[in-house]
DNA sequence: CCTAAAATAT
DNA sequence: GATATTTTAG
């Protein structure tokens, strides 16, 4: 990363605005350091006590780019804790006590550098290097929001240089032009919020260039920006949790090895910290790439969402909660409350979800979706609406074994593949996704259940004719808690009876009245040839 | 904003 | 080659 003179000029003001966390028990010392840093345009937040510093880091990790932590004989252990806790933050240790083993320990624990006190301007001036280094060498996991802009700006700044070194087709000619460099130059983003669009031509070019050189890592990028893109709705999701656990890898053309391991970490579920949301946060993770071939990762922000069982469960729960008529991407997204999931992601998943169902319930489906459209005006009522009156909430629907799919919850004994034929997902479905905890019955409602049998009396014939391999799951009221996991015949009977006894009520969702032909045929089959018109 | 269809990535 | 996801249209 040697820079040319031109490039250097672009770097000149870089550190400006970078945020420094200063933890120093010595007030005077802290003031002095702060003063020096500020004179160099760093923004400094001083903390006297470690716990304060740590809470600051955890509550607003994006507020710091680098930390300087003083370690003395008195706070010895405490500082180590900071080091261990604030892993994502490049941390410089400093002390007036010069103990090689302490230094060693600090470095071993992840400190990026150990500076002896007193900290002169010279020592402090270029601490930004650690920020940049971090930005380039860390997995998305650690690449905090605040670091990304840095990374991006650096990439941008780097561009001219890269182009010089490896002219790329059409763009080549103008690379040496100083004005060009200036154009690509980006202000240090530190203080502001203007994140350069992740997909700027520049970045893409850089990506390409890096590819062609020696990059071996797929560039996953946090989807956070996308989240932001999705207008106001994002906020409601965002604010909930500060942690960015389920983060996506972000690696910008970083040459050389490393990383593989980092990925493992990411998948694990980023540093143990706040996992309150349990499932939520780690519910998904970016798909790790094989760091072998380096295709075109140029478009960094294109990380893929891995719809893990947990994530999918959340998704389904959201859909169910919303009900068929309200289940639209934006709402689902809200309900899911999963950080950095974009509306697009959800929409896409929803699309697949529907397709599955459609494929499974060719007949019913169209109808249902039609219904849905018509009912769109029927906005949220806290009660089940229209086609799904309360008293039908316990309807039981048969689920044919031939319909392995999404919404249909299966009972442990009958592990049905939820996602179609390819056993992509392990058995978690049965145990994890559809257990009582995850709203077992919910999935059996409108969408979930392949409800192909005619209602009313036909239930009986249906069952008697195809008793084999039928599985029963129960649907439930959207918000009510389910129902029995093993709907017994009584339930079926009850439901059927109800439906029969109240023919004037709408059909339970997913059921459609039998066609006249069918009715006649069935009656005929039963030896009933005449019908009293009044009963129809 | 939504959904469907096309394009990509695995 | 099939499928999962993202992008692109309408």
């Amino acid at each position: 990363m040697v820079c040319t003179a031109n490039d250097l000029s672009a770097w000149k003001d870089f550190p400006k605005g970078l945020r420094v966390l200063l933890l120093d028990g010595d007030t005077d010392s802290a003031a002095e350091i702060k003063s020096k840093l500020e004179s160099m345009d760093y923004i400094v937040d001083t903390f006297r006590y470690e716990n304060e510093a740590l809470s600051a880091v955890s509550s607003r990790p994006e507020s710091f780019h680098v930390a300087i932590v003083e370690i003395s004989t008195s706070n010895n252990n405490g500082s180590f804790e900071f080091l261990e806790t604030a892993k994502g933050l490049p941390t410089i240790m400093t002390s007036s006590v010069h103990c090689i083993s302490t230094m060693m320990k600090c470095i071993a624990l992840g400190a990026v550098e150990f500076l002896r006190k007193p900290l002169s301007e010279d020592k402090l001036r270029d601490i930004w290097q650690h920020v940049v280094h971090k930005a380039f060498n860390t997995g998305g996991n650690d690449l905090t929001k605040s670091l990304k802009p840095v990374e991006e700006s650096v990439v941008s700044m780097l561009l001219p240089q890269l182009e010089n070194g490896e002219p790329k087709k059409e763009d080549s000619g103008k690379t040496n032009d100083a004005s060009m460099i200036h154009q690509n130059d980006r202000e240090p983003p530190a203080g502001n919020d203007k994140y350069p669009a992740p997909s700027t031509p520049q970045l893409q070019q850089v990506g390409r260039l890096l590819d062609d050189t020696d990059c071996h890592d797929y560039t996953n990028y946090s989807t956070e920006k996308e989240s932001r893109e999705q207008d106001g709705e994002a906020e409601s999701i965002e604010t909930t949790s500060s942690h960015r656990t389920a983060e996506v890898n972000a690696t910008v053309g970083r040459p050389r090895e490393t990383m593989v391991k980092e990925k493992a970490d990411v998948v694990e579920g980023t540093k143990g910290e706040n996992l309150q949301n349990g499932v939520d946060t780690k519910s998904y993770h970016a798909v790790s790439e094989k760091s072998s071939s380096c295709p075109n990762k140029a478009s960094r922000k294109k990380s893929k969402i891995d719809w893990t069982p947990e994530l999918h469960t959340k998704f389904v729960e959201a859909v169910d909660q919303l009900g068929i008529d309200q289940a639209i991407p934006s709402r689902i997204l809200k309900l899911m409350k999963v950080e950095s999931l974009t509306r697009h992601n959800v929409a896409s998943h929803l699309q697949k979800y529907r397709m599955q169902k459609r494929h499974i319930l060719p007949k019913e489906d169209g109808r249902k979706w039609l219904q849905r459209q018509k009912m769109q005006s029927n906005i949220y009522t806290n009660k089940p609406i229209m086609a799904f009156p309360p008293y039908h909430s316990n309807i039981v629907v048969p689920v044919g074994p031939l319909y392995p799919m999404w919404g249909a919850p299966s009972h442990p004994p009958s592990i049905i593949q939820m996602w179609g034929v390819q056993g992509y997902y392990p058995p978690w479905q049965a145990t994890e996704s559809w257990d009582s905890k995850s709203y077992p019955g919910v999935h059996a409602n409108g969408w979930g259940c392949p409800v192909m049998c005619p209602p009313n009396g036909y239930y009986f014939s249906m069952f008697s004719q195809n008793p084999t391999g039928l599985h029963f799951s129960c649907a439930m009221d959207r918000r009510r808690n389910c129902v029995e996991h093993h709907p017994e015949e009584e339930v079926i009977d009850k439901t059927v009876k109800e439906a029969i006894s109240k023919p004037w009520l709408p059909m339970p969702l997913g059921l459609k009245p039998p066609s006249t032909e069918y009715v006649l045929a069935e009656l005929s089959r039963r030896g009933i040839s005449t019908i009293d018109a009044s009963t129809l």
Side-chain angles (χ1 to χ4, degrees):
Chain A
M1 283 204 185
V2 181
C3 299
T4 65
N6 279 337
D7 298 328
L8 286 176
S9 67
W11 284 69
K12 190 176 50 186
D13 291 327
F14 176 71
K16 181 173 182 176
L18 233 44
R19 296 167 182 277
V20 182
L21 179 157
L22 176 58
L23 170 57
D24 192 332
D26 181 337
T27 313
D28 294 331
S29 162
E32 186 185 331
I33 298 173
K34 178 184 169 78
S35 159
K36 287 177 179 169
L37 285 170
E38 291 182 332
S39 73
M40 293 176 267
D41 288 324
Y42 285 103
I43 297 172
V44 184
D45 263 333
T46 309
F47 296 88
R48 183 170 182 181
Y49 302 105
E50 182 189 41
N51 57 331
E52 293 176 354
L54 283 174
S55 64
V57 171
S58 64
S59 64
R60 47 193 175 95
E62 70 286 347
S63 296
F64 308 104
H65 296 113
V66 58
I68 298 180
V69 175
E70 186 238 24
I71 183 170
S72 66
T73 50
S74 56
N75 68 352
N76 202 307
N77 291 320
S79 296
F80 285 137
E81 192 184 327
F82 181 95
L83 208 42
E84 294 179 283
T85 305
K87 282 265 183 5
L89 190 62
T91 303
I92 298 169
M93 300 302 285
T94 181
S95 178
S96 51
V97 180
H98 308 145
C99 167
I100 190 72
S101 69
T102 299
M103 291 175 65
M104 201 75 88
K105 185 169 183 181
C106 289
I107 299 302
L109 287 176
V112 295
E113 182 173 17
F114 192 104
L115 296 175
R116 293 189 177 194
K117 275 192 172 181
L119 298 179
S120 63
E121 274 93 332
D122 278 347
K123 290 177 182 172
L124 294 171
R125 182 168 291 109
D126 296 319
I127 58 175
W128 58 264
Q129 293 174 85
H130 298 298
V131 180
V132 176
H133 187 270
K134 186 80 181 180
F136 277 92
N137 286 280
T138 198
N141 177 17
D142 288 326
L143 192 60
T144 66
K145 190 187 299 180
S146 62
L147 233 41
K148 266 178 265 166
V150 174
E151 166 206 315
E152 289 172 1
S153 66
V154 171
V155 169
S156 301
M157 289 188 259
L158 236 35
L159 180 60
Q161 176 198 340
L162 290 170
E163 284 189 300
N164 282 333
E166 195 80 26
K168 240 8 192 173
K169 40 186 174 179
E170 78 278 358
D171 297 19
S172 48
K174 46 199 174 181
T175 48
N176 284 322
D177 189 331
S179 64
M180 200 51 199
I181 293 173
H182 191 66
Q183 270 188 291
N184 292 324
D185 176 30
R186 264 182 205 300
E187 269 310 291
N192 57 41
D193 289 317
K194 70 136 197 226
Y195 285 10
S199 56
T200 58
Q202 291 99 320
L203 291 175
Q204 294 184 329
Q205 286 182 40
V206 170
R208 270 198 298 278
L209 291 171
L210 291 169
D211 279 353
D212 293 338
T213 53
D214 59 351
C215 156
H216 289 293
D217 294 316
Y218 195 103
T219 301
N220 279 324
Y221 205 72
S222 167
T223 51
E224 209 158 293
K225 293 185 182 56
E226 293 184 65
S227 304
R228 187 173 301 112
E229 145 239 272
Q230 61 189 69
D231 62 21
E233 296 182 1
E235 80 234 278
S236 60
I237 306 171
E238 276 301 12
T239 54
T240 43
S241 50
S242 58
H243 55 271
R244 45 183 22 292
T245 43
E247 187 46 280
V248 187
N249 270 336
T251 306
V252 167
R254 184 187 75 287
R256 292 160 217 79
E257 73 301 327
T258 65
M259 172 109 268
V260 179
K261 185 182 299 179
E262 297 178 55
K263 288 184 172 160
D265 290 338
V266 173
V267 176
E268 270 334 303
T270 65
K271 13 207 161 129
E273 53 168 32
N274 40 21
L275 288 180
Q276 359 181 280
N277 292 351
V279 184
D280 299 24
T281 53
K282 0 195 262 178
S283 55
Y284 84 92
H285 57 265
V287 179
S288 300
E289 306 302 332
K290 317 292 179 183
S291 51
S292 50
S293 62
C294 38
N296 60 344
K297 40 291 195 161
S299 46
R300 31 161 47 192
K301 63 180 288 185
K302 191 175 41 182
S303 62
K304 273 195 175 182
I305 294 296
D306 181 12
W307 284 92
T308 62
E310 291 77 18
L311 234 202
H312 175 62
T313 298
K314 267 180 109 72
F315 169 85
V316 175
E317 285 172 6
V319 169
D320 283 326
Q321 197 170 137
L322 286 167
I324 192 172
D325 4 286
Q326 326 282 319
I328 57 176
S330 59
R331 288 177 184 147
I332 296 172
L333 183 59
K334 279 183 188 171
L335 257 61
M336 289 181 73
K337 286 180 185 158
V338 173
E339 235 180 302
S340 67
L341 240 196
T342 70
R343 206 180 59 241
H344 281 67
N345 294 140
V346 174
S348 169
H349 198 60
L350 181 60
Q351 182 177 26
K352 191 172 72 168
Y353 186 64
R354 289 170 175 169
M355 292 229 290
Q356 280 288 332
K357 294 190 166 309
R358 194 165 314 180
H359 180 254
I360 279 62
L361 319 167
K363 306 174 187 173
E364 284 305 321
D365 190 67
R367 175 187 164 73
K368 275 189 281 185
W369 285 100
L370 268 177
Q371 273 186 309
R372 179 191 161 223
Q373 290 190 318
K374 291 177 182 174
M375 298 185 221
Q376 292 225 300
S377 56
N378 240 329
I379 302 305
Y380 277 163
T381 316
N382 267 341
K383 306 172 169 40
I385 355 181
M386 40 331 89
F388 206 169
Y391 48 81
H392 278 147
S393 57
N394 281 329
I395 180 140
V396 176
V397 287
V399 178
L402 289 179
Y403 309 124
M405 87 265 53
W406 293 64
S410 61
H411 315 305
S414 60
I415 299 181
I416 298 177
Q417 285 194 339
M418 298 302 176
W419 292 75
V421 239
Q422 30 91 267
Y424 180 77
Y425 289 107
W428 46 261
Q429 296 106 320
T431 57
E432 217 175 314
S433 295
W434 313 114
D435 65 0
S436 56
K437 178 174 146 197
S438 35
Y439 307 83
V442 174
H443 314 297
N445 75 3
W447 304 41
C449 286
V451 187
M452 312 194 65
C453 54
N456 299 351
Y458 297 96
Y459 256 129
F460 296 114
S461 59
M462 176 80 180
F463 290 162
S464 58
Q465 289 175 328
N466 312 295
T468 48
L470 281 181
H471 296 277
F472 302 95
S473 32
C474 54
M476 60 172 262
D477 180 303
R478 283 179 199 110
R479 33 199 87 261
R480 201 167 304 169
N481 235 346
C482 183
V483 206
E484 36 275 335
H485 243 315
H486 297 278
E488 307 306 336
E489 301 192 346
E490 46 192 298
V491 183
I492 300 173
D493 289 342
K494 180 184 172 186
T495 304
V496 173
K497 195 182 301 177
E498 204 166 44
I500 294 175
S501 64
K502 302 175 183 176
W504 58 87
L505 292 172
M507 288 295 168
L509 190 58
L511 298 182
K512 65 179 180 184
S515 67
T516 305
E517 303 83 80
Y518 192 1
V519 173
L520 291 175
E522 182 63 17
L523 288 174
S524 161
R525 193 178 70 75
R526 299 185 179 196
I528 303 174
S529 51
T530 57
I531 312 170
D532 177 0
S534 65
T535 64
L536 287 182

